[in-house]
Amino acid sequence: MSQALERLKRALSRRPRPSDDAAPPTPLSARPDIYEVIQEAMEFQTAVDAVKARLQPADFGWYPYDSWTNIFPLDELLTGERRFLLDLIGEDPVLDVGCADGVLSFFLESLGCKVDAIDYPSTNYNAMRGVKALKAALTSAVGIYEVDVDAQFSLPHNQYGLVFLLGVLYHLKNPFYVLEALSRHARYCLLSTRVARFTPDKRTKLHTAPVAYLLADREANNDPTNYWIFSEAGLRRLLERTGWEVLDYRTAGNTTDSDPVSGEGDERVFCLAKSLCPKVAAKLLQGWHALEQNSWRWTEREFSAAIELPAAGRPATLRLEFLLPPPLLARLHSITLSAKVNGVALLSETYNTPGAQVYVRRIPPPALTPSEAHVDFQLDKALPVEESDRRERGVVVSYLGVE
């Protein structure tokens, strides 16, 4: 941790703690800056530590590392409008990957976020008994899920505003797959991981080469779950190839001659990245072609999806963003799009100009009853199967969701 971060942590730790007869702490402002969020985190840490001390489980131990060390660097990391972390999250849920005992998840919930926390018992320090015990003690609504991200995994929700991937990347056997999968489901990612400038013997420079060092069993911190330590260039290349744009980026620790294995050679990267992958906040059903170049997807003439609806009684609007390529319009001249939500027809619309298009319709109340809507789209025409392309091609979708 840099000297500036140490000063920040000491300054926050000197903030007066409320006693039983003291006035309650100042509530968060309507739009809290990240520094204010960190102050709240320290108050929450005190409360969680008290809960842990009271529970005193006899059959397992709490996660022994300080989960909050990944929070303090955010004050130096985030810049401009991105310092308003809750704005980045928006109305979508948050995903905490590798949640350990879940303290970050429970803290985000205390800020009003809907949170899913995922980990896997065989690699979690106490087989996820800690996070489940804290959830019960805090009467929390955080979703706790056992997900093996080293397998072909699925997530509890299709769309997340922000995913936390803090201190997890070097524990993954297949970091490329995980980052690529997350880019399809989250708008933003807060990531921290260890990086190295030199090999362990300090003879080979890694810093500017897009590479990763594969650790031997227990070579770093005597932990067999440590695998890949990237160079900075390697990490940036990995993020680029998996569909992420780096917005804010900082390093901490040994930024001179870091290596993959020693304690004194520990260097960490903290970054905020934005997904470049088109977001489809739905379960794709019929009529969709494969994602191409991690950025766009053709449909057939008829295509369908299942979309999660808001809470009962809240209005909802269906939004489909798509592209009509000029060659398609040159052949078809126009396309009419119609849709049904849970069998209720929406007004159709005709498009006769190439380029980006949008279809927006208010969902009628009779179609809002289930928690998940079945949406059927139909085009009046599409490009047929041809010798040069054996697919029926309708439109190129970049976003589908409910607002």
Side-chain angles (χ1 to χ4, degrees):
M1 187 178 296
S2 69
Q3 291 182 350
L5 293 176
E6 288 286 7
R7 288 196 300 271
L8 171 64
K9 186 171 182 179
R10 287 196 298 269
L12 289 172
S13 67
R14 290 194 294 268
R15 182 171 182 246
R17 304 292 184 187
S19 59
D20 293 341
D21 56 353
T26 304
L28 277 174
S29 61
R31 191 169 182 246
D33 172 90
I34 187 60
Y35 182 85
E36 191 177 354
V37 171
I38 293 172
Q39 288 179 316
E40 288 294 312
M42 294 201 66
E43 296 288 353
F44 192 83
Q45 178 182 10
T46 301
V48 169
D49 287 346
V51 171
K52 287 183 175 181
R54 176 171 55 82
L55 291 177
Q56 294 184 337
D59 55 340
F60 68 88
W62 298 110
Y63 180 69
Y65 303 106
D66 187 357
S67 299
W68 303 103
T69 57
N70 287 312
I71 298 299
F72 295 112
L74 301 186
D75 186 65
E76 282 193 341
L77 172 69
L78 301 178
T79 61
E81 287 294 302
R82 295 186 289 272
R83 291 184 62 80
F84 301 99
L85 186 66
L86 298 183
D87 288 0
L88 295 182
I89 296 170
E91 296 297 322
D92 290 317
V94 176
L95 180 66
D96 182 9
V97 180
C99 64
D101 285 344
V103 292
L104 174 61
S105 297
F106 300 128
F107 169 63
L108 292 166
E109 181 188 36
S110 76
L111 299 181
C113 301
K114 182 178 179 181
V115 184
D116 288 337
I118 66 174
D119 213 321
Y120 200 58
S122 65
T123 54
N124 179 274
Y125 180 80
N126 49 40
M128 297 185 71
R129 288 177 291 182
V131 64
K132 293 174 182 178
L134 281 179
K135 174 175 178 171
L138 297 171
T139 60
S140 168
V142 167
I144 308 297
Y145 301 92
E146 297 180 5
V147 177
D148 182 5
V149 293
D150 273 325
Q152 302 292 306
F153 64 91
S154 59
L155 296 173
H157 289 87
N158 285 297
Q159 177 75 19
Y160 292 92
L162 178 64
V163 55
F164 284 86
L165 195 68
L166 302 175
V168 174
L169 197 67
Y170 49 87
H171 292 295
L172 302 177
K173 296 177 182 178
N174 192 348
F176 192 106
Y177 175 80
V178 173
L179 281 171
E180 187 175 50
L182 292 176
S183 73
R184 299 192 185 107
H185 295 277
R187 291 195 307 277
Y188 296 96
C189 176
L190 272 170
L191 178 149
S192 71
T193 192
R194 182 167 177 168
V195 293
R197 296 172 185 263
F198 291 88
T199 53
D201 60 9
K202 307 289 188 180
R203 294 179 180 178
T204 303
K205 187 176 182 179
L206 304 174
H207 183 58
T208 57
V211 298
Y213 179 88
L214 177 58
L215 293 159
D217 186 30
R218 301 184 183 276
E219 187 176 12
N221 199 32
N222 195 33
D223 187 343
T225 70
N226 290 335
Y227 294 100
W228 298 102
I229 305 296
F230 287 89
S231 66
E232 281 199 56
L235 178 62
R236 287 183 177 274
R237 178 75 59 85
L238 175 67
L239 290 167
E240 175 188 343
R241 291 293 305 274
T242 55
W244 296 97
E245 175 190 6
V246 175
L247 302 178
D248 290 317
Y249 186 97
R250 294 191 70 88
T251 57
N254 183 341
T255 58
T256 304
D257 60 349
S258 58
D259 65 72
V261 300
S262 70
E264 62 274 12
D266 194 331
E267 180 180 7
R268 302 288 167 134
V269 159
F270 295 84
C271 72
L272 172 70
K274 179 181 180 180
S275 172
L276 300 176
C277 185
K279 293 297 171 291
V280 178
K283 297 177 183 176
L284 306 185
L285 300 176
Q286 304 296 320
W288 300 84
H289 294 300
L291 187 69
E292 299 183 51
Q293 299 180 14
N294 206 34
S295 58
W296 48 279
R297 187 190 299 272
W298 277 101
T299 73
E300 298 178 354
R301 191 175 71 85
E302 296 182 359
F303 54 103
S304 60
I307 302 179
E308 185 176 347
L309 292 174
R314 294 183 60 184
T317 299
L318 178 71
R319 184 180 183 91
L320 177 73
E321 297 176 7
F322 60 96
L323 178 73
L324 294 179
L328 180 146
L329 260 296
R331 293 176 59 182
L332 302 182
H333 306 296
S334 70
I335 280 183
T336 298
L337 172 67
S338 58
K340 291 182 180 180
V341 178
N342 289 328
V344 179
L346 309 181
L347 288 176
S348 62
E349 187 165 347
T350 299
Y351 304 86
N352 52 26
T353 58
Q357 313 289 342
V358 62
Y359 177 82
V360 179
R361 292 292 184 271
R362 186 74 170 267
I363 300 177
L368 292 173
T369 304
S371 60
E372 187 175 75
H374 188 106
V375 185
D376 295 294
F377 294 96
Q378 186 175 62
L379 304 168
D380 66 330
K381 57 179 80 81
L383 292 176
V385 173
E386 299 171 320
E387 190 65 33
S388 59
D389 195 322
R390 306 303 297 174
R391 302 173 300 174
E392 181 183 62
R393 287 157 291 159
V395 295
V396 178
V397 172
S398 58
Y399 176 81
L400 170 60
V402 167
E403 300 175 343

